[in-house]
């Protein structure tokens, strides 16, 4: 729908022709409700300001002034922007803006007109092009640009607000929705999702630098290039909730470290992080197989982490079933032992963690890495030991004057056996296999609870980062 200010400048006859050509939606102010998106490409970086008051009422100021139409151009410094995949393979997407929005063809540069405040554009795919509110465009990629910059560029995809712009693309016969946004604003949408905003500000600043570094590294590696964006919005990359997820304390940490990243020999590093180390982080080669000089095992204070210690219990039958579901059918489980998945002499890593576990069954014997064991059995981390607990059925004495026999009760008939460098025998179905573990996550790079402990002890964010990432430099990106 064209704004009132522009409509006054067009004759009634031309307006009728205009409306028959452009793909504008009905005059409804109903907002959309759902989630994810792509695309913002302003000419120069802009520091967005979160609106002090956000509501769904139409802003009539647009009707009283001549609006300056947004001109879409690729950013001069592409490194300042990032494309975040919000959804892939969707059949329909709803996009709107509290400030009103302008629609442009990404490839053909065609102008598809304006939508007023909170008027929704419902996107579908028709004959391999995007249809807006049921009317086909001639484009496979559309850019949705907020008209007014007064309240900060707010664009809404399926009920979630984002800064920057949204790009919708046709890949295959479905839509991919991408949020094109400045890296700094992207990190503001990441930080509260990855670390509690109530934590010490030095821990938040360390997390901001790590998240920014991770984003730039992942973008440079072109991990999601074939998907039409640089990073996804899930934990596969980094959790990202857009403007809707921003919190003041976290945004202040982002601003305080603006542009800062970690490098090794002048190159942005791979900067993974995780929730809780359990007391010691891991070497990169023992997790992903690739030795990186800046990802070395270090000790930290994990004592206050809620994940510091945990236990998970399985029956022998459950172990067999989970292994089988993962394509590892061993038959009936007989023995469990420490082992190196690479054929090494020891089943223990230099960090003290288990390298792997051997499962011996009546059908076959397999050796899995600790990371594989974690995935198959749904463990919080790969930092664990294994023990068995054998039970036997007993019949308690019946109550006096009672004709009812007592129910069978499981009791422990042997003390727990802990796996060190010996084999645990699983002799019958009454044996339980217990994983006693520490920490939460893959164990690489910064441990968030450890970072919190360091910050609470008075350490600055750069000290925290240098502790977890060996021999790196912290500097502003070019």
């Amino acid at each position: 729908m064209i704004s009132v200010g522009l409509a006054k400048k067009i004759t009634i006859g031309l307006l009728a022709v205009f409306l028959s050509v452009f793909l504008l939606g009905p005059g409804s102010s109903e907002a959309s409700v759902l989630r994810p998106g792509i695309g913002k490409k302003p000419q120069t970086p802009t520091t967005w300001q979160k609106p002090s008051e956000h509501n769904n009422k139409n802003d009539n100021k647009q009707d009283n002034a001549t609006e300056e139409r947004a001109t879409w151009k690729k950013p001069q410094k592409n490194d300042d922007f990032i494309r975040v995949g919000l959804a892939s393979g969707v059949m329909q997407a709803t996009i709107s803006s509290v400030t009103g929005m302008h629609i442009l063809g990404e490839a053909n540069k065609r102008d598809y007109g304006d939508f007023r405040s909170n008027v929704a554009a419902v996107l579908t795919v028709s004959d391999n092009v995007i249809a807006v509110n049921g009317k086909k465009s001639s484009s496979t990629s559309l850019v949705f640009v907020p008209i007014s910059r007064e309240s900060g560029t707010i664009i809404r995809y399926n009920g979630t607000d984002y800064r920057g712009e949204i790009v919708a693309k046709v890949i295959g016969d479905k839509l991919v929705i991408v949020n094109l946004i400045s890296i700094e604003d992207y990190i503001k949408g990441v930080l509260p999702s990855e670390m509690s905003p109530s934590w010490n500000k030095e821990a938040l600043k360390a997390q901001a630098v790590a998240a920014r570094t991770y984003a730039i590294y992942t973008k440079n590696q072109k991990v999601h290039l074939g998907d039409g964006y640089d990073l996804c919005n899930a934990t596969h990359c980094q959790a990202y909730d857009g403007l809707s997820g921003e919190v003041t304390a976290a945004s202040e940490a982002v601003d305080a470290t603006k542009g800062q990243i970690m490098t090794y020999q002048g190159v942005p590093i791979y900067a993974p992080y995780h929730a809780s180390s359990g007391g010691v982080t891991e070497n990169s080669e023992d997790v992903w197989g690739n030795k990186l000089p800046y990802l070395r095992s270090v000790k930290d204070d994990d004592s206050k982490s809620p994940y510091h210690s945990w236990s998970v219990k399985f029956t022998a039958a459950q172990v067999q079933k989970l292994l089988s579901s993962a394509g590892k059918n061993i038959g009936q489980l007989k023995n469990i032992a420490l082992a190196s998945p690479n054929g090494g002499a020891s089943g223990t890593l230099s960090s003290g963690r288990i390298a792997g576990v051997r499962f011996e069954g009546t059908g076959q014997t397999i050796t899995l890495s600790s990371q594989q064991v974690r995935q198959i059995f749904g463990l919080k981390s790969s930092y664990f030991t294994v023990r068995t607990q054998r039970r036997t059925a007993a019949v308690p004495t019946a109550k006096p004057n009672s004709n009812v026999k007592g129910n069978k009760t499981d009791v422990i008939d042997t003390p727990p056996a802990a796996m060190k460098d010996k084999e645990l025998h699983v002799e019958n179905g009454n044996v339980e296999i217990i994983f006693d573990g520490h920490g939460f996550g893959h164990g690489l790079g910064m441990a968030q609870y450890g970072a919190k402990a360091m910050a609470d002890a008075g350490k600055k964010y750069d000290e925290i980062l240098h502790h977890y990432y060996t021999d790196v430099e912290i500097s502003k990106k070019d």
Side-chain angles (χ1 to χ4, degrees):
M1 183 176 292
I2 299 176
S3 67
V4 174
L6 293 176
K8 291 180 179 179
K9 297 180 180 180
I10 303 175
T11 65
I12 295 175
L14 289 176
L15 179 59
V17 174
F18 184 84
L19 292 175
S20 67
V21 174
F22 285 94
L23 306 174
L24 301 181
S28 169
S29 61
E30 184 176 353
S32 58
V33 181
L34 250 159
R35 200 179 175 107
I38 164 175
K40 150 180 182 169
K41 302 188 177 180
Q43 184 173 5
T44 56
T46 304
T47 300
W48 311 120
Q49 298 297 324
K50 188 171 183 177
S52 57
E53 183 178 355
H54 174 56
N55 55 48
N56 291 328
K57 296 180 180 179
N58 292 340
D59 187 356
N60 292 325
K61 292 181 180 179
Q62 299 179 38
D63 298 337
N64 300 323
T66 301
E67 296 171 358
E68 183 177 342
R69 179 158 302 203
T71 302
W72 180 86
K73 294 181 180 180
K74 288 186 177 181
Q76 293 179 347
K77 289 187 68 178
N78 191 49
D79 287 345
D80 290 334
F81 295 85
I82 199 159
R83 300 175 304 157
V84 186
L86 303 181
S88 297
V90 297
M91 301 296 294
Q92 179 175 301
T94 303
I95 300 172
S96 62
S97 175
V98 68
T99 63
M101 61 186 180
H102 191 58
I103 306 178
L104 301 159
E106 185 179 35
N108 61 17
K109 305 297 187 294
R110 181 175 175 180
D111 183 340
Y112 287 98
D114 299 332
F115 275 63
R116 282 197 183 191
S117 172
N118 292 321
V119 175
V122 179
L123 312 184
T124 54
V125 178
S126 179
D127 296 330
N128 294 319
V129 297
I130 297 176
V132 182
N133 292 340
K135 299 178 182 179
K136 287 197 298 185
S137 69
S138 59
S139 179
T140 59
S141 181
L142 295 177
V143 184
F144 296 80
V145 186
I147 291 175
S148 173
R149 306 287 179 175
E150 292 181 6
S151 300
T153 54
I154 302 172
I155 197 83
R156 178 174 295 167
Y157 165 65
N158 282 1
T160 299
D161 289 336
Y162 296 90
R163 297 184 187 274
E165 298 167 5
I166 296 290
V167 176
K169 294 184 176 184
V170 176
I171 296 183
D173 58 351
K174 294 182 175 63
L175 292 169
V176 173
I177 308 299
V178 182
N179 183 202
L180 182 59
I181 187 172
S182 74
I183 289 179
E184 295 305 307
D185 285 337
Y186 164 70
I187 300 301
K188 289 180 180 179
V190 166
L191 191 49
S193 300
E194 294 287 358
M195 178 176 281
S196 173
S198 66
W199 283 12
N200 190 296
K201 65 180 180 180
E202 295 301 317
L204 289 171
K205 288 193 283 187
Q207 180 66 67
V209 175
R212 186 182 295 111
T213 306
Y214 183 93
I216 292 173
Y217 175 90
T218 304
K219 177 183 178 180
N220 291 345
Q221 293 297 307
K222 304 184 187 319
V223 174
H224 283 290
L225 181 63
D227 300 318
Y229 46 83
D230 300 314
L231 287 88
C232 65
N233 67 338
T235 53
H236 173 265
C237 293
Q238 297 185 116
Y240 169 66
D241 290 326
L243 175 62
S244 297
E246 291 183 18
V247 177
T248 300
S251 295
E252 289 174 351
V254 176
D255 291 336
T257 61
K258 183 177 180 180
Q260 293 182 24
I261 61 171
M262 291 179 285
T263 62
Y264 183 83
Q265 297 182 349
V267 179
I269 70 166
Y270 169 56
Y273 50 89
H274 60 286
S276 172
S277 72
V280 60
T281 67
E282 193 57 276
N283 293 314
S284 62
E285 64 269 24
D286 293 328
V287 178
W288 305 132
N290 184 23
K291 184 175 182 178
L292 298 173
Y294 49 81
L295 289 179
R296 302 292 86 203
S297 175
V298 297
K299 293 181 179 180
D300 70 357
D301 180 6
D302 189 68
S303 60
K304 294 183 180 180
S305 165
Y307 310 109
H308 181 66
S309 297
W310 47 264
S311 292
V312 182
K313 185 185 300 184
F314 298 94
T315 65
Q318 288 173 327
V319 169
Q320 292 161 193
K321 183 176 181 180
L322 287 169
L323 289 173
S324 179
S325 297
K328 315 288 184 182
N329 192 349
I330 64 170
Q332 184 176 346
L333 180 63
K334 295 171 57 180
N335 299 303
I336 303 175
L338 291 182
S340 171
N342 300 319
S346 175
T348 305
L349 301 171
S350 59
S351 64
R353 298 184 178 211
I354 287 177
V357 180
R358 186 177 72 244
F359 296 88
E360 180 184 346
T362 55
Q364 65 170 327
T365 297
I366 60 171
T367 300
L368 303 176
S369 70
S370 58
Q371 295 292 335
Q372 289 175 305
V373 173
R374 179 195 175 198
Q375 182 178 15
I376 291 173
F377 293 96
L379 306 180
K380 290 182 173 65
S381 77
S382 61
Y383 188 7
F384 59 83
T385 57
V386 186
R387 60 187 172 92
T388 58
Q389 187 168 275
R390 297 179 183 86
R391 294 177 179 272
T392 184
V395 181
T397 304
K399 292 181 180 180
N401 303 319
S402 172
N403 294 322
V404 180
K405 293 182 179 180
N407 295 321
K408 290 185 177 181
T409 304
D410 286 341
V411 296
I412 299 173
D413 71 340
T414 59
M419 180 193 292
K420 295 296 183 184
D421 288 319
K422 64 182 182 180
E423 197 171 70
L424 297 179
H425 299 288
V426 183
E427 297 175 352
N428 54 59
N430 291 323
V431 173
E432 293 176 332
I433 295 90
I434 302 171
F435 293 88
D436 294 318
H438 303 280
F440 197 149
H442 48 60
L444 283 180
M446 187 179 73
Q448 293 167 320
Y449 275 95
K452 180 181 185 299
M454 291 184 69
D456 290 343
K459 299 296 184 181
K460 300 299 183 183
Y461 77 96
D462 56 333
E463 295 177 284
I464 296 171
L465 293 170
H466 283 300
H467 177 72
Y468 287 105
Y469 304 97
T470 305
D471 295 333
V472 299
E473 294 183 355
I474 302 173
S475 58
K476 283 201 170 186
K477 62 183 179 64
D478 297 330

